[in-house]
Amino acid sequence: MNGARRPRRLSWIASPFLVWGLHFFAVYSLQGLVCGRGWPAPAAWIAIALATLPAFAAVAWIGLRARRSAAAPDTGDGRRFAARLVAMLSLLSLLAMAFTTIPVLLLQPCE
């Protein structure tokens, strides 16, 4: 196996959850700023949407790239397993981001 093509497996596998963790931090930090500074609710929703959309796009890109890598015919068993794992973890991260964002958007800030 060529060393240049070997994936950095741990960082690759952890990348969907890293993005989700940063998203989680951003959303609840923004929620705290809204409560602490008295920002209006529409401004909070816009800020949260601006934090959520790039995070969703990043995780979707990671998942699609992993899915494409798993479907490649020249992929070895270890890389195929890692690619499938990353694709499944990307779906789980997207679900986690939805469960993080939906309550923040449905509830009024500071209640």
Side-chain angles (χ1 to χ4, degrees), residues 10-36:
L10 182 59
S11 61
W12 189 39
I13 291 170
S15 60
F17 284 133
L18 177 66
V19 174
W20 169 74
L22 292 172
H23 172 263
F24 186 86
F25 177 77
V27 165
Y28 284 103
S29 294
L30 287 169
Q31 186 71 11
L33 284 173
V34 167
C35 288

